Amino acid sequence: MSFLFFFGGGFLLTVGLIIMVNQRLNAGVVEAKEVFELFFRTSPDGIVISRLDGGVIIDINEGFTNLTGFDRDDTIGSSTLEINMWKDPGDLKEIFGEVRKKGFCENYETILRRKDCSEITSIVSAKSITLQGVPCIISVTRDITDRKRAEEALRQANRKLNLLSSITRHDILNSITVIAGYLGLAREEPAGPKLKGYLDHLDASAKTIQHQIEFTREYQEIGVNAATWQNVEENVRNAASEFKIGDVILTIECSDVEIFADPLLRKVFYNFFDNSFRYAPPFTTITVSCKEKGDGLSVIFADDGVGITKEVRKYLFERGFGNHTGLGLFLSREILAITGITITKNGGAGKGASFEMTVPKGAYRVSDDEANQMQ
């Protein structure tokens, strides 16, 4: 079986295709040689074939020369250590060590030195192969320097925006405190019913502003930290721990299921619980289930409460809609959208509430046992 590598930007299956063709060559399928040479010659990624014992380079493609500046005269018969290509030579040892141990190394991020001594951030993948009876290693390298710079620029921009947001929020809350203080003093003065009504409205508005400003603090990290693989059941239980569940039965049918999402995934489930406890009572059960379907993985959060009418469901994820802040479900949708996860509201009046998250293929993973149970 050939080993295929998949990356964020796509390595065009270069390694997998070359390995597949190499296996066909070893099996005596001579016509595959042209295919092998085509992919090796035209791949935009740097490809190196080296001896597994010692790392002596047997061949490189033009993509490798374009990437590093080292040509065939510089490389053939030498190792990448000898041409001083690695900023940290220990990275090469780790890659070779993984290949010797597992037969492959995938998506190893490292910094390489080009011939002109400039540095590039790269991802390297490698696979062990046999060429004419000699154990070799074939590696594919892609330059991700521009991507890393763009990611760092985005992180810096987000940090500055968060700092501005934090300062602004602090100043607004200080002003709200002053307003609340003067409202308290105003209530101590003689006032007729009409003026008391005005003061009540002002007091309520000040508290609403204060609550909304404090609420935004919880979400200022949206998109700041890189998305990660997260266990669904752990996030659900962590969110549930913030509520007094009491006699409500919580059932989770997602053991060993992980999804690729923003680190604020727990807040998404928190908002689902908050919605149930705020609007669904009386109810007795909450069930979180995972099931694979044609377009990906379905993660469903459902209660058996009073449900929500069809008219209300149309506006449920709109900003400002609802009796509380009007932001929780709107922000949940934004958090999930960062990694391509969509969310819909199912159920109806008298049928309980049901939120369905659809996780696209490639953005979830499950153990073999759990995958069989979800079929």
Side-chain angles (χ1 to χ4, degrees):
M1 180 180 293
S2 62
F3 186 85
L4 304 185
F5 291 93
F6 295 87
F7 299 94
F11 262 117
L12 305 178
L13 305 182
T14 304
V15 172
L17 288 168
I18 290 177
I19 299 301
M20 178 185 68
V21 174
N22 179 63
Q23 290 174 337
R24 294 182 65 194
L25 281 168
N26 289 337
V29 185
V30 179
E31 64 271 17
K33 180 179 180 181
E34 294 181 1
V35 180
F36 182 97
E37 292 178 346
L38 176 64
F39 281 104
F40 186 82
R41 186 176 65 253
T42 62
S43 171
D45 300 308
I47 303 176
V48 179
I49 301 176
S50 310
R51 288 180 178 271
L52 188 57
D53 182 14
V56 174
I57 298 172
I58 297 173
D59 204 356
I60 64 170
N61 73 336
E62 186 176 347
F64 181 81
T65 298
N66 294 335
L67 181 72
T68 66
F70 293 105
D71 57 26
R72 297 179 64 81
D73 291 337
D74 301 316
T75 56
I76 304 301
S78 301
S79 71
T80 51
L81 279 179
E82 291 175 324
I83 61 175
N84 196 30
M85 194 179 80
W86 300 85
K87 181 176 182 179
D88 182 356
D91 288 347
L92 178 63
K93 294 179 181 178
E94 284 195 33
I95 292 172
F96 268 67
E98 278 200 47
V99 172
R100 290 191 181 101
K101 181 179 179 180
K102 300 187 302 182
F104 65 91
C105 175
E106 184 175 7
N107 250 8
Y108 191 98
E109 186 172 318
T110 185
I111 296 178
L112 300 178
R113 288 196 185 98
R114 303 182 78 253
K115 188 175 181 178
D116 61 7
C117 293
S118 60
E119 296 180 351
I120 54 174
T121 304
S122 307
I123 47 176
V124 180
S125 285
K127 178 78 169 68
S128 61
I129 61 173
T130 301
L131 292 177
Q132 297 179 345
V134 178
C136 295
I137 178 172
I138 183 168
S139 62
V140 179
T141 302
R142 167 162 289 184
D143 182 1
I144 59 169
T145 305
D146 289 342
R147 190 187 82 188
K148 297 294 287 187
R149 286 172 179 165
E151 290 174 353
E152 180 58 27
L154 182 59
R155 279 192 291 270
Q156 291 293 342
N158 278 327
R159 289 191 188 102
K160 292 178 181 179
L161 288 173
N162 280 338
L163 177 60
L164 176 62
S165 175
S166 178
I167 294 171
T168 302
R169 182 169 50 249
H170 179 269
D171 291 345
I172 292 175
L173 287 174
N174 282 344
S175 297
I176 291 296
T177 300
V178 173
I179 292 173
Y182 278 109
L183 283 171
L185 292 173
R187 288 184 182 281
E188 296 177 1
E189 300 295 328
K194 192 172 184 179
L195 181 56
K196 283 187 176 180
Y198 291 155
L199 291 175
D200 288 342
H201 285 302
L202 287 171
D203 192 41
S205 295
K207 288 180 179 177
T208 297
I209 294 172
Q210 181 181 19
H211 184 74
Q212 289 177 329
I213 291 298
E214 290 174 344
F215 182 82
T216 61
R217 181 188 294 118
E218 301 179 29
Y219 291 90
Q220 71 175 8
E221 298 298 321
I222 291 180
V224 172
N225 298 309
T228 59
W229 288 102
Q230 300 178 66
N231 184 279
V232 173
E233 181 171 1
E234 288 180 5
N235 275 273
V236 173
R237 294 199 182 280
N238 287 339
S241 68
E242 300 188 41
F243 295 85
K244 295 180 179 179
I245 291 183
D247 295 330
V248 175
I249 299 173
L250 173 61
T251 303
I252 305 175
E253 302 168 351
C254 297
S255 61
D256 297 322
V257 177
E258 294 183 335
I259 63 177
F260 192 70
D262 187 271
L264 287 176
L265 177 65
R266 183 189 63 81
K267 293 300 297 182
V268 173
F269 287 110
Y270 173 91
N271 288 329
F272 293 164
F273 278 105
D274 185 63
N275 186 80
S276 293
F277 283 98
R278 191 177 295 276
Y279 302 112
F283 66 97
T284 60
T285 65
I286 291 178
T287 302
V288 182
S289 59
C290 296
K291 187 176 181 61
E292 288 190 286
K293 55 183 186 178
D295 54 348
L297 177 73
S298 177
V299 180
I300 300 175
F301 181 103
D303 63 48
D304 62 347
V306 297
I308 300 176
T309 64
K310 183 178 181 181
E311 186 63 28
V312 170
R313 288 204 307 274
K314 292 191 297 186
Y315 306 102
L316 201 58
F317 296 100
E318 296 298 320
R319 185 176 64 182
F321 182 80
N323 299 326
H324 193 41
T325 63
L327 291 173
L329 292 177
F330 166 76
L331 289 171
S332 293
R333 185 183 64 180
E334 298 304 303
I335 291 169
L336 296 172
I338 290 173
T339 52
I341 301 172
T342 59
I343 181 172
T344 55
K345 176 70 177 65
N346 300 320
K351 298 181 180 180
S354 175
F355 294 95
E356 181 176 2
M357 299 159 47
T358 300
V359 186
K361 290 183 181 298
Y364 67 90
R365 61 191 185 190
V366 297
S367 68
D368 291 339
D369 291 342
E370 182 68 15
N372 292 332
Q373 294 176 19
M374 293 193 303
Q375 298 300 326

